[in-house]
Amino acid sequence: MRGGEAFFSSGDGWAEPWVLDVELIESLRFGPPAGLTDLEVAVALTRLLHHDFVSHGTDGKGKRLDDENVPVVIKAHRAVLERLALKPPTWPFRTFDGPRGFGTYWRDNDMRGSWQARRDCIEQILGPTRDALEDLQELEYERRFSKRPSGTFKNLIFAADGENRRSCCATR
């Protein structure tokens, strides 16, 4: 689920290379799908939103979301982050275009003609969330791999006893 590919079907490969599984995204508001954790889902949604907003604000290549489904993804993202007890980002826009879109926002906030300014804007919105998720991933890693057997170690010496005991050099 690295970049959110599990949220899509492959579409027709031409006009619609990516088709968002809206039903799956909406279900994320109530819990993660079987076999995944909220942390994994939150990371994938954060990457998806980051990628698509940066893409829209720069060259537009590789964008998988559209104005209709961006709000659905943002709502799912918020719900998953809240289950993880993280503060969701505050979005000053809800879509790519239109009166409440990223395009209008960047034009109104001196980001015309600057892809870097638009990338910085998205980083300011999603960077703290990404950092908090990375911290949670690190805690999960430490918790998973710091578990040791309980009790104390003892020296145990195993040796054969009785008639079956033989030396490696014994002859018959």
Side-chain angles (χ1 to χ4, degrees):
M1 176 168 275
R2 176 134 174 81
E5 289 80 13
F7 302 138
F8 295 89
S9 65
S10 60
D12 64 11
W14 297 99
E16 281 190 298
W18 298 96
V19 177
L20 184 70
D21 185 342
V22 175
E23 188 175 312
L24 171 63
I25 297 296
E26 288 179 342
S27 75
L28 297 176
R29 294 175 70 187
F30 305 102
L36 295 175
T37 65
D38 276 329
L39 181 56
E40 292 167 319
V41 171
V43 168
L45 288 173
T46 301
R47 287 179 179 153
L48 173 61
L49 288 166
H50 186 274
H51 173 273
D52 276 35
F53 273 103
V54 166
S55 176
H56 180 75
T58 57
D59 61 9
K61 293 181 181 174
K63 191 170 77 169
R64 296 167 283 182
L65 300 174
D66 60 31
D67 280 340
E68 221 174 276
N69 54 35
V70 168
V72 176
V73 174
I74 289 174
K75 287 177 186 176
H77 187 241
R78 172 179 293 283
V80 174
L81 291 174
E82 288 174 346
R83 284 196 301 272
L84 291 169
L86 296 177
K87 183 179 184 229
T90 301
W91 291 92
F93 39 85
R94 295 281 181 254
T95 60
F96 295 126
D97 293 308
R100 296 198 61 200
F102 184 35
T104 301
Y105 183 82
W106 86 53
R107 285 186 293 279
D108 291 346
N109 289 277
D110 299 323
M111 291 182 247
R112 290 177 191 245
S114 176
W115 286 5
Q116 186 60 50
R118 296 175 208 162
R119 284 191 292 266
D120 291 346
C121 174
I122 299 306
E123 181 61 25
Q124 285 179 334
I125 294 168
L126 285 172
T129 299
R130 184 201 54 241
D131 294 346
L133 290 170
E134 287 175 359
D135 289 346
L136 283 178
Q137 286 177 311
E138 191 61 29
L139 286 172
E140 178 64 26
Y141 175 83
E142 288 174 8
R143 186 177 353 191
R144 186 176 297 167
F145 293 106
S146 68
K147 290 182 181 176
R148 296 185 182 108
S150 60
T152 59
F153 289 102
K154 297 179 181 177
N155 284 333
L156 300 175
I157 299 172
F158 294 94
D161 189 22
E163 292 181 30
N164 291 331
R165 186 174 54 177
R166 294 187 183 172
S167 167
C168 66
C169 299
T171 57
R172 290 188 150 186

